[in-house]
Every structure is written in structure tokens, then in C-alpha cells.
């Protein structure tokens, strides 16, 4: 389970530090998400859980006459996003919980977008109802999220290295895999007043390491980001050594053409505001 308080604290700090490598890990997905987002005209965009801002900035560049607002709960990530956005005058990054955040007077997004930022709401129906309420009639919703954990080999392999067992008590609890089941997500969106809900599966390689020492790049990445980071930091020295050995071995087995990549599986979900 990943809660908002973790994003405002330790997890957000790590992601802010590691934004280049987290953007890289989504590389095989981002173009597909952008294609879906830009498949119809848009003028006002809200990027939910914008993090370090890559998707907001790409959309702002794709349509310089559009206004893009990235909303996030993490000040650390917003600070990175603002730095990256210096010079882009059609994008703003604002602090807020997207399940309650209100657009400015007279503003209403015609596109609500998110790259893996919508699976952390404790009350998802209420959150998506709220997003519907701030959107323009006919607005589009376009987001990505991981499919189920068992389809995401990167997570399964990390779990087996950690020896922590693969199934959390509630697979729908807020966290990276909370939106893995399409029927469940469709039900949330429909109850929240969204229609024409469509799911496209995207399989891609999550790049974990590359460069002169791709293996160490991948090891250090997983020590900062994702399920291994916390588990390893809480181990005693002997257990940590054994786990690090297994982690290196597993990652080494995934080397391809000078890079370490692990199979990842996401949905791109699209929907329309029901009027
Ligand atoms: C997996 S990260 C994705 C970040 C970014 N969209 C990207 O693709 O790099 C999830 C993001 O959602 C943000 N987040 C979590 N709960 C949120 C909420 N209720 N409102 C706004 N942002 C939230 C986190 O702070 C984090 O930046």
C-alpha cells in the first residue's frame, strides 16, 4: 500500500531525486500515452499526480496554445517539475490533492491525463467524481496504470528476490497495482460519472539500467525506487548481503544489448465525461 503521506515524504523525495531514471523506466509507455492524449484537440489539461512533470511538459510542447496544470501532493517533485518547466509559459505546477483540488475561476479542463498517478486515492470513486465535477462537458480522461502484479514481471522478479511473497492482503489497496483489474476500474469510473471507458494493454520493457555499468545503474535504481527500496533498507546486514547478491544475479540475467530491462505491463485507460 502506498499512501499520500508517503508521497509527501520519503517516497516523493526518492522520486524527486531519481526523476531521470523514473522517466526512463516509463519510456516504452510515454509515447503511447501521449498518442492517446493528443488524439483529439485539447485546450486545458490537468495532469493528475504530475510528479516531476514530464507528461505535462510534453503536452504543453505539443500544443503551445493549450494551458497545462500539473497537480501533485509532493513539494519535492513539484520543485523538480518547476525547474524543468522554466521557460515553458503554458504550464504550471501546483500543490494539491487531485481528489479535492479546484481549478481556477472560469477554468475547466477538457483533458484530464495521468501517467501512473491515479492509483493512490483511498476513495477512488469519490476522487473520480470530483475530477468529473471540475472537467468541461465532454472532457476526456486518459491515464496509464499498471496491470495486475502477476502480469508485471519486473515486480514478480523483485518480489522473489526479496522473498516477501507476492500478494498484499488487499490487491486493490492504494498503490502501484490497485488499478490492475479492468472490470474494477471500469466500475469505479462508471460510478463516478465517466463513460465510453476503454482499456488498451501496453507491454513494454522497463529500462532499469544502462550506460557504462548498466548492472550497477539498475541495482542503485532499485535501491531507491519501488518495492525493493524499503524492504532492503529494513534488513539486517547479513540478510541485506544475501538479498543484494540475489538482486544482482536477477538483474544480470536481464542484460540485453548493454541495458538491463524488465518486462512491464500497463493499461492505457480512456473515458469521457458523461454529461
Ligand atoms: C507513480 S508517481 C507518477 C508521477 C508522474 N505522473 C510520472 O509519470 O512520473 C505517482 C504520483 O502521484 C502523486 N500523487 C499521489 N496521490 C496523489 C493525490 N491524491 N493527488 C495528487 N497527486 C498524487 C505522487 O506524489 C506521485 O508524484
Amino acid at each position: 500500500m502506498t499512501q499520500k503521506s508517503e508521497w509527501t515524504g520519503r517516497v516523493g523525495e526518492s522520486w524527486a531525486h531519481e526523476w531521470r531514471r523514473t522517466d526512463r523506466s516509463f519510456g516504452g509507455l510515454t509515447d503511447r500515452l501521449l498518442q492517446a492524449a493528443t488524439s483529439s484537440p485539447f485546450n486545458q489539461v490537468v495532469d493528475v499526480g504530475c510528479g516531476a512533470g514530464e507528461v505535462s511538459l510534453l503536452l504543453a510542447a505539443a500544443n503551445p496554445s493549450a494551458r497545462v496544470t500539473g497537480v501533485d501532493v509532493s513539494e519535492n517533485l513539484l520543485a523538480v517539475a518547476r525547474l524543468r518547466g522554466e521557460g515553458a509559459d503554458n504550464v504550471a505546477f501546483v500543490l494539491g490533492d487531485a481528489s479535492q483540488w479546484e481549478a481556477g475561476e472560469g477554468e475547466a479542463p477538457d483533458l484530464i491525463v495521468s501517467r501512473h498517478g491515479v492509483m493512490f486515492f483511498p476513495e477512488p470513486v469519490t476522487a473520480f467524481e470530483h475530477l468529473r465535477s471540475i472537467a468541461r462537458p465532454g472532457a476526456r480522461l486518459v491515464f496509464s496504470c499498471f496491470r495486475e502484479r502477476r502480469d508485471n514481471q519486473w515486480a514478480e522478479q523483485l518480489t522473489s528476490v526479496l522473498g516477501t511473497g507476492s500478494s498484499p492482503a488487499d490487491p486493490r489497496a492504494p498503490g502501484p497495482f490497485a488499478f490492475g483489474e479492468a472490470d474494477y476500474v471500469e466500475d469505479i469510473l462508471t460510478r463516478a460519472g465517466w463513460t465510453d471507458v476503454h482499456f488498451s494493454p501496453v507491454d513494454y520493457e522497463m529500462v532499469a539500467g544502462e550506460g557504462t555499468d548498466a548492472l550497477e545503474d539498475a541495482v542503485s535504481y532499485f535501491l531507491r525506487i519501488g518495492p525493493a527500496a524499503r524492504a532492503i533498507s529494513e534488513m539486517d546486514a547479513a540478510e541485506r548481503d544475501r538479498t543484494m547478491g540475489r538482486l544482482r544475479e536477477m538483474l544480470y540475467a536481464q542484460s540485453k544489448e548493454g541495458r538491463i530491462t524488465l518486462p512491464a505491463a500497463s493499461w492505457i485507460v480512456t473515458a469521457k465525461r458523461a454529461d
Side-chain angles (χ1 to χ4, degrees), residues 90-217:
N90 60 336
V91 61
F93 293 105
V94 300
L95 182 68
D97 179 331
S99 64
Q100 294 163 13
W101 178 81
E102 297 287 347
E105 186 68 35
E107 289 177 16
D110 52 10
L111 173 62
I112 295 184
V113 75
S114 182
R115 186 179 70 182
H116 280 51
V118 292
M119 305 90 87
F120 307 99
F121 300 124
E123 291 179 39
V125 175
T126 312
F128 279 100
E129 264 170 4
H130 175 73
L131 290 171
R132 179 196 177 277
S133 77
I134 64 164
R136 197 170 289 264
R140 290 180 303 129
L141 174 67
V142 179
F143 67 80
S144 64
C145 56
F146 283 123
R147 303 212 302 270
E148 289 180 67
R149 180 187 283 268
R150 64 165 181 251
D151 297 327
N152 277 280
Q153 275 306 306
W154 68 270
E156 289 291 86
Q157 297 202 26
L158 281 176
T159 303
S160 85
V161 159
L162 296 170
T164 47
S166 79
S167 307
D170 177 4
R172 296 172 177 176
F177 300 103
F179 275 18
E181 299 161 71
D183 288 353
Y184 168 64
V185 176
E186 181 165 7
D187 183 57
I188 289 172
L189 296 179
T190 308
R191 284 165 59 200
W194 296 88
T195 186
D196 294 352
V197 184
H198 183 77
F199 293 80
S200 303
V202 181
D203 295 310
Y204 58 104
E205 290 295 318
M206 175 186 281
V207 178
E210 62 187 354
T212 49
D213 195 342
L215 179 60
E216 281 317 305
D217 189 28

Side-chain angles (χ1 to χ4, degrees), residues 3-4 7-8 12 15 19 22-23 26 47-55 71-74 77 96-99 114-122 144 146:
Q3 295 174 338
K4 178 173 146 187
W7 285 109
T8 57
W15 274 68
W19 64 269
T22 53
D23 280 356
F26 286 125
D47 180 2
V48 173
C50 63
E54 185 180 36
V55 167
V71 180
D72 205 284
V73 291
S74 163
L77 277 160
D97 179 331
S99 64
S114 182
R115 186 179 70 182
H116 280 51
V118 292
M119 305 90 87
F120 307 99
F121 300 124
S144 64
F146 283 123

Side-chain angles (χ1 to χ4, degrees), residues 9-92:
R10 188 190 62 83
V11 179
E13 269 170 42
S14 300
W15 274 68
H17 193 261
E18 292 293 339
W19 64 269
R20 289 183 183 80
R21 295 200 282 190
T22 53
D23 280 356
R24 182 181 72 182
S25 77
F26 286 125
L29 174 71
T30 305
D31 283 353
R32 295 284 300 274
L33 180 65
L34 284 176
Q35 266 170 25
T38 58
S39 62
S40 299
F42 59 92
N43 287 305
Q44 274 187 45
V45 185
V46 170
D47 180 2
V48 173
C50 63
E54 185 180 36
V55 167
S56 302
L57 291 167
L58 288 169
L59 286 170
N63 180 1
S65 61
R67 178 95 212 128
V68 181
T69 306
V71 180
D72 205 284
V73 291
S74 163
E75 277 287 16
N76 288 299
L77 277 160
L78 289 167
V80 174
R82 288 181 190 125
L83 266 180
R84 296 174 80 185
E86 271 178 7
D89 56 13
N90 60 336
V91 61

